[in-house]
Amino acid sequence: MCQIASPLSPFTWGWGFLNLEEECAMGSDYKEMWEELGLDLEAHDALLKVLGRFYGDIYLSQKGRLKGAEYLDFVLSEVHGLRINELQEAKAQGKKVVGTFCIFVPEELVWAAGGICVGLCAGADIGREAAERVLPRNTCALIKSFMGFKLARLCPFFESCDLVIGETTCDGKKKAYEILEEFAPVYVMEIPQMKEARDRILWKEEVLRLKDRVEDLTGNKITADSLSDAIKMLNARRRVLQRLDSLRKAIPTPISGRDALLVNQISFYDDPQRFTQKIGELCDELEERVARGQGVVPEDTPRVMLSGCPMAVPNWKVPYVVESSGAVIVGEESCIGVRNTRDLVSENGKDIEEMIESIVDRYMKIDCACFTPNNERIQHVVKMAKDLKVDGVIHYSLQFCDPYTIEAFKVERALEREGIPVLKIETDYAMEDVEILKNRVEAFIGTLGK
Amino acid sequence: MCQIASPLSPFTWGWGFLNLEEECAMGSDYKEMWEELGLDLEAHDALLKVLGRFYGDIYLSQKGRLKGAEYLDFVLSEVHGLRINELQEAKAQGKKVVGTFCIFVPEELVWAAGGICVGLCAGADIGREAAERVLPRNTCALIKSFMGFKLARLCPFFESCDLVIGETTCDGKKKAYEILEEFAPVYVMEIPQMKEARDRILWKEEVLRLKDRVEDLTGNKITADSLSDAIKMLNARRRVLQRLDSLRKAIPTPISGRDALLVNQISFYDDPQRFTQKIGELCDELEERVARGQGVVPEDTPRVMLSGCPMAVPNWKVPYVVESSGAVIVGEESCIGVRNTRDLVSENGKDIEEMIESIVDRYMKIDCACFTPNNERIQHVVKMAKDLKVDGVIHYSLQFCDPYTIEAFKVERALEREGIPVLKIETDYAMEDVEILKNRVEAFIGTLGK
């Protein structure tokens, strides 16, 4: 792992990394594996170099970091190395790897069928040129990113997948999967757009259809025991993330928003049991800090909550901008945040049928902006902002993401009605707007009255 | 109706019409009615003026126009006058007016319940400033237009509506309706995203839910007779449009693409029976022309088909650009075109239940890009291009319309595989890009080898 903590802003490099001559690279012992996976080695090396520098500047440079953050650093440093190696070893033993882009995919089924579920790379301005050959320029950064990672052969997770599960949560992804399936084995789940009885019926059919598909893929029948184990394993992962979120309520908050985001990001691709254990240890440490009244920032630091679109690894732009502008982030109302961890699957199901019903119920609770109406989300945002005692909310949406950019109108109004200041940001993964963002965020934080 | 046929391009005026001092205005005898409807009279007058000039230049200036086009000119000149007056008179007698934005709404139910169904204004760069107060700038022109027409109080159809029926065909509309409902009585239908058995079940529930809603609104129960009459009336409208499309296959083609588009546009708001009769007469005239071998353009004029997003009144930009660049448009693969007219509702239903099933089936055939996969559309585009013996296809999509802009990739490839040239255009309702469009279209037409 690159240990450079440059005094320069990480953004001064932009992503023009393809010609970088840095010596510092992440996990360079895996060349053979990456070659076998068909990665573009030269571009991939350059990506790891810039990711290393980026991480050094945004993460390692933080003061008073937790001991438990060593796990985060290690996982990140081995993001395309050790974890991929584990996946390859599992595949050699006949296991199947399933990739997803959305928290709507009921991972329980994949694990219960003996598969491994991983979130796929979609948080960097990578392979944009390749992506724009098959997608309109006006497509959201997340979609261009996953297409770019695939077409530019830069994501070893993607290349390890035996199946990629998409979903119809937005127009952009729905239609992009039709193109992606020419380059990867893609299966698409239909997500309803309302939450009426008819929608639950459709969604249950989709859950059952996925069950058949993953059983087919893995060659393993899902049993009551395996499903129960998977439900418990993933609930445990959600619980530890809930515990983390709960500790962040403390004033002063014991962990930076960047680190907390990273924990959520890592939850999508590390082994769930290891993750739960390690983050449990990190939470123990945080608990001690809270007991001592020790914060990661002074007590009077403005507390900000992020709300909106997911921030996939390594999309740390806005959190960095916010936390280098004098505020601390204490919560993420996002798919890589509480939207993914708020609800558990009931563990009371006595047989497969009951467990399936519990899974159907749990996923239908997700307050994604793909639903209409989606008043639960508005209520959740307000409640969360109050619970976390935030001084302001930054609504983050990816440019061209209709569901969240349009819903931002209602979120803003609801928060303002409660007297909670809001800043709406629309951005992408490129670095051109960092200075403008910083100006806007600093001005906003300056108004928070602390 | 303004008779000016200025030698200038209509686009030199842009849409900066709010300060126009032209004397020529469409239908100025309805001031009192418009006032009662709450329109912004000054802005509305200006809109009608520019629409009149626009129409003069794009339509009235055409050579060798049909006698039957008098109906088109009359309807357009009375677009906000006589037809609105009819709606007001019907409302005075207790009838209800229902507005729609999408061909997915089963109009049959509205008419069968004694209501009147009209398409709502969404084809002009109107009220953009007002719309952008509640919608992101990066929203497609059609959505901004309907919001703009409503917020700027410029659409007498909108203001006549007792109910507006939206649908979840795209993210932009789905989320915009949540905002629109603060300003108008909105009801939203859920459109499935695939075409499997589960989707038909959901769609049938939605059709039945709409039946209840319109019965509730009008106070009239739908009967087997009234539904059968409505099915036949709307099938007759579709049949006359199919006849028109069929006549356009002739070489040389007997009617301009602009006029044919206008016929399709008018079908959304004129009285269906009058429309069917008048367009029948126009088709008789076209049939005579075809028999005489008389075309609206010379035989060797390049034949072009448009494919993609709908062109709502008064969105005539691209057709004008194409037909003033030496080509003739012979078909529209669009919601304001064959996507709306291709399929009939079976008239064999013996009772309400059977008729509902027929309606459900008919609407599920729509090959909207909201579906995944949507291979029927790709096949339809290719077949239509061959049937019409076109020299090239122009794929038209509205900027920020994910479904059609992404699907364009597959449309383009399928046509190229058949050796049919394609030009992909992404635009909006503003006039800034007209010269660029004209350059691109002229270059494309120049390559068509005629």
Side-chain angles (χ1 to χ4, degrees), chain A residues 167-237:
Chain A
E167 25 44 55
T168 63
T169 43
C170 72
D171 293 338
K173 285 204 275 178
K174 175 167 68 177
K175 300 307 282 184
Y177 293 137
E178 294 177 15
I179 294 168
L180 184 65
E181 77 176 357
E182 299 180 11
F183 309 102
V186 174
Y187 172 92
V188 178
M189 295 191 82
E190 186 174 8
I191 312 296
Q193 305 183 75
M194 294 187 177
K195 292 188 173 181
E196 302 298 326
R198 62 180 177 276
D199 300 295
R200 192 186 181 285
I201 291 169
L202 183 141
W203 175 237
K204 185 180 169 188
E205 280 211 29
E206 280 301 83
V207 171
L208 290 171
R209 187 166 69 97
L210 180 67
K211 176 175 172 289
D212 290 347
R213 186 69 185 82
V214 293
E215 286 179 340
D216 218 47
L217 177 78
T218 59
N220 301 323
K221 277 275 168 208
I222 291 173
T223 65
D225 282 347
S226 72
L227 190 52
S228 169
D229 288 349
I231 288 171
K232 284 175 187 153
M233 179 178 77
L234 296 176
N235 275 350
R237 190 174 69 186

Side-chain angles (χ1 to χ4, degrees), chain B residues 66 79 94 112 125 170 187 204 283 441:
Chain B
L66 298 150
V79 57
D125 188 13
C170 71
Y187 171 92
K204 185 180 169 189
C283 286
V441 168

Side-chain angles (χ1 to χ4, degrees), chain B residues 64-302:
Chain B
R65 231 157 150 243
L66 298 150
K67 205 175 156 300
E70 278 171 18
Y71 163 67
L72 308 183
D73 298 343
F74 179 73
V75 172
L76 238 285
S77 71
E78 290 287 345
V79 57
H80 282 191
L82 197 59
R83 182 64 184 140
I84 300 298
N85 203 38
E86 286 179 354
L87 296 183
Q88 294 310 313
E89 281 172 6
K91 281 167 72 87
Q93 287 161 25
K95 286 223 174 200
K96 299 294 178 186
V97 176
V98 172
T100 64
F101 297 106
C102 178
I103 61 167
F104 239 110
V105 176
E107 273 192 58
E108 285 82 359
L109 299 173
V110 177
W111 294 99
I116 296 174
C117 202
V118 291
L120 291 179
C121 306
D125 188 13
I126 294 288
R128 202 201 302 180
E129 209 179 306
E132 288 183 0
R133 250 176 268 140
V134 296
L135 289 173
R137 203 173 41 78
N138 295 336
T139 305
C140 99
L142 192 146
I143 297 170
K144 270 199 239 182
S145 180
F146 76 62
M147 195 66 87
F149 267 109
K150 177 66 203 175
L151 296 185
R153 296 180 290 120
L154 286 170
C155 176
F157 286 96
F158 223 134
E159 304 310 321
S160 301
C161 282
D162 298 290
L163 185 67
V164 168
I165 304 181
E167 20 55 50
T168 64
T169 43
C170 71
D171 293 339
K173 286 203 275 179
K174 176 168 70 179
K175 300 307 282 185
Y177 294 137
E178 293 176 15
I179 294 168
L180 184 65
E181 75 177 359
E182 300 181 10
F183 309 101
V186 175
Y187 171 92
V188 178
M189 295 190 80
E190 185 175 6
I191 312 295
Q193 305 184 75
M194 294 186 176
K195 292 189 173 179
E196 303 297 327
R198 63 180 175 274
D199 300 294
R200 193 186 178 284
I201 292 169
L202 183 141
W203 176 236
K204 185 180 169 189
E205 279 211 30
E206 280 301 83
V207 170
L208 291 171
R209 188 166 68 98
L210 180 67
K211 177 175 170 289
D212 290 347
R213 186 69 186 82
V214 293
E215 285 179 342
D216 218 47
L217 176 77
T218 61
N220 301 322
K221 276 275 168 207
I222 292 174
T223 66
D225 281 347
S226 73
L227 190 51
S228 168
D229 288 349
I231 288 172
K232 283 176 188 151
M233 179 178 78
L234 296 176
N235 275 350
R237 188 174 71 187
R238 291 181 188 117
R239 279 197 195 95
V240 81
L241 287 164
Q242 288 175 355
R243 187 180 165 209
L244 171 67
D245 277 335
S246 168
L247 288 160
R248 296 168 75 192
K249 287 185 191 171
I251 301 178
T253 194
I255 182 171
S256 72
R258 269 166 286 179
D259 277 328
L261 173 65
L262 185 59
V263 170
N264 278 282
Q265 290 173 332
I266 285 176
S267 76
F268 286 90
Y269 53 87
D270 200 19
D271 173 78
Q273 283 166 328
R274 176 170 57 211
F275 174 88
T276 302
Q277 191 204 317
K278 289 292 179 185
I279 301 306
E281 290 165 19
L282 185 136
C283 286
D284 294 341
E285 198 186 344
L286 290 177
E287 221 158 55
E288 287 164 26
R289 277 197 177 186
V290 171
R292 284 198 304 272
Q294 185 190 347
V296 72
V297 287
E299 197 169 324
D300 60 353
T301 306

Side-chain angles (χ1 to χ4, degrees), chain B residues 400-418:
Chain B
F400 312 124
C401 168
D402 282 336
Y404 282 97
T405 49
I406 301 181
E407 196 159 279
F409 172 80
K410 291 204 162 192
V411 171
E412 182 181 36
R413 215 175 34 181
L415 287 166
E416 284 177 348
R417 218 178 270 142
E418 300 284 338

